[in-house]
Amino acid sequence: MIAARANRVWVQAPGSDGLFPAGETGRESREQKMPIVTIQQGPRGVEQKRELVEKVTAAFVEALAVPAESVYVWIQEYQPENWGAAGKLTADR
């Protein structure tokens, strides 16, 4: 899990019980940090998703100083009839 609060990026490391400032996991520093990023969005093409995963991974590598191999990106896609904004179902816009 990742959240932005008070101009800081907070992450939840696998197996931890809470959110920690980016770069800290609440575990001993000798353990590998493994950020997991979940993106919820409407349907996109596979090329767009490839680029998104590439750029999100690069951002985490830069921000957290972790190897790219440790960054996991999950994409959850939702059809317009399955989400809404501003009180309206997206399919009805």
Side-chain angles (χ1 to χ4, degrees):
M1 170 186 278
I2 183 171
R5 293 186 194 153
N7 296 327
R8 288 189 77 180
V9 175
W10 296 73
V11 296
Q12 182 175 15
S16 70
D17 294 326
L19 291 174
F20 300 93
E24 301 174 24
T25 65
R27 295 179 177 186
E28 293 182 29
S29 60
R30 62 183 160 80
E31 289 189 34
Q32 175 85 19
K33 295 173 181 79
M34 184 175 60
I36 298 173
V37 183
T38 302
I39 299 168
Q40 297 176 327
Q41 66 178 23
R44 300 286 197 289
V46 70
E47 288 303 320
Q48 288 179 309
K49 290 186 274 190
R50 279 190 185 106
E51 184 176 351
L52 178 62
V53 169
E54 220 175 272
K55 290 183 177 184
V56 166
T57 300
F60 272 75
V61 167
E62 181 181 338
L64 301 180
V66 295
E69 296 77 23
S70 73
V71 180
Y72 288 77
V73 180
W74 293 82
I75 299 173
Q76 298 173 343
E77 292 188 319
Y78 297 93
Q79 296 297 324
E81 65 271 12
N82 293 327
W83 65 285
K88 301 262 185 202
L89 194 58
T90 304
D92 295 337
R93 292 179 165 208

